[in-house]
Amino acid sequence: MNRFTVPDMSCGHCTAAIEKAVKSIDPTATVACDLETKTVAVETFLSERAVSEAIREAGYEPSSLAGT
């Protein structure tokens, strides 16, 4: 599982955009966004880098929470 903190994620539109971006590169991914903690957890076969890049392309700046 890949985990990221996304400080600029602030609303439902943000979470929907992030989920859409990740699912565009892996339709089978499971994406869990938590607005309260501003974290995103992604269960996917893709690399952390690929997921991070997808989130960036959606307009957000993720930071890895590797090891959590």
Side-chain angles (χ1 to χ4, degrees), residues 19-66:
E19 183 171 350
K20 182 178 178 182
V22 173
K23 288 189 174 270
S24 73
I25 59 171
D26 177 8
T28 65
T30 302
V31 183
C33 298
D34 186 330
L35 283 173
E36 186 174 318
T37 61
K38 298 189 183 292
T39 58
V40 177
V42 180
E43 186 71 44
T44 180
F45 65 86
L46 297 169
S47 70
E48 180 179 306
R49 183 176 180 167
V51 175
S52 179
E53 187 58 32
I55 295 171
R56 270 192 196 84
E57 288 179 11
Y60 302 91
E61 194 58 44
S63 296
S64 175
L65 291 173

Side-chain angles (χ1 to χ4, degrees), residues 1-27:
M1 171 147 338
N2 296 308
R3 294 181 189 272
F4 304 90
T5 181
V6 185
D8 47 348
M9 181 176 68
S10 61
C11 66
H13 177 268
C14 298
T15 61
I18 290 169
E19 183 171 350
K20 182 178 178 182
V22 173
K23 288 189 174 270
S24 73
I25 59 171
D26 177 8

